[in-house]
Amino acid sequence: MTLPRIPFGKPFIVGKELFYIAQAVMSSSIAGDGVYSRKCQHWLEEHLGTPKALLTHSCTAALEMAAILADIGPGDEVIMPSFTFVSTANAFVLRGGIPVFIDIRPDTLNLDETLVEAAITPRTKAVVAVHYAGQPCAMEALKDICQRHGLLLIEDAAQAILAQSEGRSLGTIGDLGCLSFHETKNIICGEGGALLINNPALIDRAEVIWQKGTNRKAFFRGEVDKYTWVDIGSSFLPSELSAAFLYAQLEQAKRINAHRRALYGKYLSLLEPLAARGLFRLPLSPGNRPENGHIFYLLCSSMEERTALIRHLQQANIAAVFHYVPLHDSPAGQRFARTSGALPVTNTMAGQLLRLPLYSEMTMAQVRRVCLAIQDFYLARA
């Protein structure tokens, strides 16, 4: 008998999404910056502790806004990991900037803070901290480096909603933070994101950039008698339909993350005996706990073993996938970026990492089934 397929992930509804969308449709406008946009932004400001949140139509858009706020121009350099999604680099390349890739740590798979200063040149403008799988980068060390060298610290917190570092929400520690609400994330609205402006000096300009380069927000607050074009910008706002869906998800955000952390913990408890035998490596995180349960992964002994395990799981009707192809190995990465030093950890981890199914509607029974299939694979090879 063929067991039902366990997908790698799936979009989900948790509460009043459809009701809020209907309310938005019946309102006077479904364009951006309406009632639900403001509700979402207030939620993010209140629950994350940022002075200003602006919804965007994607995390990519938030990163592009961050690049403008960082005044990135032709030849300016931005330090970041190569082990990340293309948007992290693309946002700065679009402004003429040059991504400078450094290696990652073998424990959190985040950029190695001890390599940052060696990568700084007179053209460096910013450092981008990517919180892989919702695990925090070494933010205090990065803040210290950026303050001493006069650099902007930007957090790519696409995977890190409600994750924390020393009591502070990821995305709120650097000058700017970028969130994702793509359907693959913990909290979703199909496509969506947010820019968190933590440096108060950047708030006014961020609003202008967000409003297509106009001072429209100041006009509606009564601060100017008319609004006009005052800076560069673009249409970064999501529609009210996306914001309405998102607000329903945010209302349940803590419950969603709690369930994902429980699934993560179940994976750990079931797979630790196999990991203790040296068959593979489990995620290592500060305190060995999932911050928001966004990704659960294994580190296989080789790319060949990973490929065989993916095939075995597919035969068991279970979807499991690898993750990033390092950007420094990509055609565009070699064209638009450069590396600082060798990247041996990045290359190794990219070839060994295997992500297991983890999504909001997943059950503990499904986690056990995945783990049994993994056990069968390794016992057959023993």
Side-chain angles (χ1 to χ4, degrees):
M1 182 181 69
T2 302
L3 292 171
R5 183 173 184 271
I6 298 178
F8 174 71
K10 59 186 294 190
F12 57 95
I13 288 178
V14 292
K16 298 181 178 179
E17 288 91 339
L18 300 181
F19 175 74
Y20 289 158
I21 288 173
Q23 292 294 305
V25 170
M26 290 188 290
S27 72
S28 59
S29 174
I30 57 172
D33 197 20
V35 171
Y36 282 105
S37 293
R38 291 190 287 273
K39 283 178 176 286
C40 290
Q41 289 169 175
H42 177 72
W43 191 98
L44 293 169
E45 289 162 3
E46 181 180 9
H47 288 82
L48 302 185
T50 181
K52 189 66 179 178
L54 294 173
L55 283 194
T56 57
H57 53 73
S58 64
C59 185
T60 299
L63 286 161
E64 290 174 5
M65 285 185 66
I68 297 173
L69 287 165
D71 285 322
I72 300 300
D76 290 336
E77 296 180 347
V78 182
I79 297 169
M80 64 182 67
S82 170
F83 191 68
T84 185
F85 190 59
V86 63
S87 293
T88 312
N90 238 347
F92 301 94
V93 172
L94 283 169
R95 311 303 312 163
I98 301 172
V100 177
F101 298 129
I102 62 173
D103 209 0
I104 56 175
R105 294 169 46 148
D107 52 358
T108 61
L109 310 192
N110 290 330
L111 84 169
D112 188 336
E113 69 280 4
T114 67
L115 303 177
V116 171
E117 286 194 277
I120 294 173
T121 74
R123 297 308 304 265
T124 306
K125 279 280 193 74
V127 174
V128 182
V130 180
H131 302 296
Y132 184 72
Q135 292 298 332
C137 295
M139 292 306 296
E140 289 306 311
L142 292 174
K143 280 183 66 176
D144 176 65
I145 292 168
C146 288
Q147 288 170 357
R148 285 190 286 105
H149 292 273
L151 306 176
L152 208 67
L153 179 56
I154 300 167
E155 294 176 77
D156 183 338
Q159 302 174 6
I161 184 72
L162 290 179
Q164 294 191 338
S165 175
E166 298 181 1
R168 296 185 63 185
S169 296
L170 299 185
T172 71
I173 303 169
D175 295 285
L176 298 164
C178 304
L179 302 178
S180 174
F181 304 115
H182 185 269
E183 70 167 30
T184 58
K185 301 302 189 290
N186 291 28
I187 311 301
I188 67 172
C189 63
E191 293 276 1
L195 179 68
L196 309 181
I197 304 101
N198 311 309
N199 183 338
L202 301 175
I203 291 176
D204 288 346
R205 190 176 184 219
E207 288 186 338
V208 168
I209 293 166
W210 189 65
Q211 284 283 3
K212 307 171 185 67
T214 73
N215 56 354
R216 188 169 184 266
K217 295 289 285 184
F219 170 72
F220 283 118
R221 287 194 295 263
E223 297 168 3
V224 294
D225 60 357
K226 60 182 179 298
Y227 75 86
T228 186
W229 184 19
V230 296
D231 200 346
I232 62 171
S234 189
S235 183
F236 291 114
L237 291 70
S239 79
E240 277 297 284
L241 302 182
S242 294
F245 192 104
L246 177 61
Y247 186 63
Q249 294 259 319
L250 290 173
E251 288 183 317
Q252 302 295 326
K254 292 182 179 179
R255 180 172 68 83
I256 292 168
N257 275 11
H259 179 58
R260 295 182 72 107
R261 285 195 299 270
L263 294 170
Y264 187 108
K266 190 67 172 178
Y267 268 129
L268 272 181
S269 65
L270 293 176
L271 293 175
E272 275 176 342
L274 296 175
R277 294 166 54 184
L279 298 176
F280 48 76
R281 210 186 87 187
L282 293 173
L284 299 176
S285 59
N288 198 31
R289 68 186 184 94
E291 279 296 327
N292 65 352
H294 177 58
I295 292 174
F296 190 91
Y297 62 84
L298 306 179
L299 290 167
C300 300
S301 63
S302 67
M303 184 181 293
E304 293 74 21
E305 180 181 291
R306 181 182 70 181
T307 300
L309 179 53
I310 290 174
R311 188 180 304 114
H312 173 82
L313 292 173
Q314 286 175 339
Q315 292 169 351
N317 227 10
I318 297 167
V321 297
F322 55 84
H323 213 172
Y324 308 123
V325 175
L327 295 184
H328 72 278
D329 277 343
S330 68
Q334 293 175 15
R335 178 181 176 189
F336 296 119
R338 70 175 181 84
T339 61
S340 174
L343 279 69
V345 181
T346 298
N347 292 329
T348 298
M349 298 304 170
Q352 296 178 350
L353 188 142
L354 174 65
R355 294 184 292 163
L356 300 180
L358 205 167
Y359 51 92
S360 183
E361 295 175 357
M362 193 174 188
T363 66
M364 295 298 177
Q366 288 174 316
V367 172
R368 285 193 292 272
R369 187 178 138 201
V370 174
C371 294
L372 283 172
I374 292 170
Q375 177 179 287
D376 289 345
F377 171 79
Y378 282 101
L379 291 180
R381 295 166 64 95

